[in-house]
Amino acid sequence: MPAPRPGTPPQPASPDLLRAVFRRHAAGVAVITARGESGPVGFTATSLTSVSADPPMLSFGVGTAASSWPAIAGTDHVGVHILGEHQQELAATFARSGADRFGAPTAWREGPEGVPVLDGVLAWLVCRVHARVPAGDHRIVLAEIVVGDPAGAGRPLLYHQGRFTALRD
């Protein structure tokens, strides 16, 4: 990795700086789902993080302006789905504002606790929401794992430089 260029001044903190830096950070892709008052909701997330092994907990971020936020804010349980490299279109659908995320061709079923569970993912979890922590224009959701299935086949989908991509050997 090249050293910082001499004579290039650091940039002050801004949303653009944050976005530019995190475009360089490769992240796994997940879809978070919940049961809303008007039906299932969900969104693509790259902020998924393991928090604790005992008890098993994770976290993810969600924007308070997101269409899924009211359901996430009011639910006790969420679904967490790890996407495979074959699911770029699914990731794009759940990232797209105004998309019919649960319409065809999305394959899903009602899972434990009534949480929408997506078919064909590498792994899924149903989690009990433990806390919603304010963080600027987002909330960090802390959730304890209740049940899941890690047995899906394939390789993980990644997000890097503003696009979905796959691992290279």
Side-chain angles (χ1 to χ4, degrees), residues 100-155:
D100 181 4
R101 296 172 179 157
F102 290 89
T106 302
W108 66 281
R109 64 193 180 285
E110 186 174 303
E113 303 296 337
V115 171
V117 173
L118 302 175
D119 293 339
V121 296
L122 298 187
W124 62 266
L125 300 165
V126 169
C127 304
R128 181 180 306 104
V129 174
H130 179 70
R132 296 166 189 88
V133 181
D137 61 356
H138 278 60
R139 295 297 180 267
I140 305 302
V141 177
L142 295 168
E144 185 174 350
I145 297 165
V146 175
V147 64
D149 182 358
R155 292 163 45 114

Side-chain angles (χ1 to χ4, degrees), residues 49-165:
T49 304
S50 170
V51 172
S52 169
D54 189 16
M57 294 183 77
L58 55 80
S59 70
F60 60 87
V62 58
T64 56
S67 61
S68 297
W69 170 243
I72 301 295
T75 192
D76 292 331
H77 292 86
V78 295
V80 177
H81 307 82
I82 307 300
L83 300 191
E85 64 186 358
H86 62 287
Q87 295 177 304
Q88 290 187 22
E89 187 53 41
L90 182 67
T93 296
F94 275 83
R96 194 175 309 119
S97 180
D100 181 4
R101 296 172 179 157
F102 290 89
T106 302
W108 66 281
R109 64 193 180 285
E110 186 174 303
E113 303 296 337
V115 171
V117 173
L118 302 175
D119 293 339
V121 296
L122 298 187
W124 62 266
L125 300 165
V126 169
C127 304
R128 181 180 306 104
V129 174
H130 179 70
R132 296 166 189 88
V133 181
D137 61 356
H138 278 60
R139 295 297 180 267
I140 305 302
V141 177
L142 295 168
E144 185 174 350
I145 297 165
V146 175
V147 64
D149 182 358
R155 292 163 45 114
L157 181 62
L158 300 178
Y159 189 73
H160 182 249
Q161 293 290 6
R163 65 184 179 90
F164 298 112
T165 188

Side-chain angles (χ1 to χ4, degrees), residues 29-66:
V29 180
V31 168
I32 309 299
T33 61
R35 183 179 54 207
E37 286 186 20
S38 302
V41 300
F43 63 96
T44 300
T46 56
S47 61
L48 184 65
T49 304
S50 170
V51 172
S52 169
D54 189 16
M57 294 183 77
L58 55 80
S59 70
F60 60 87
V62 58
T64 56

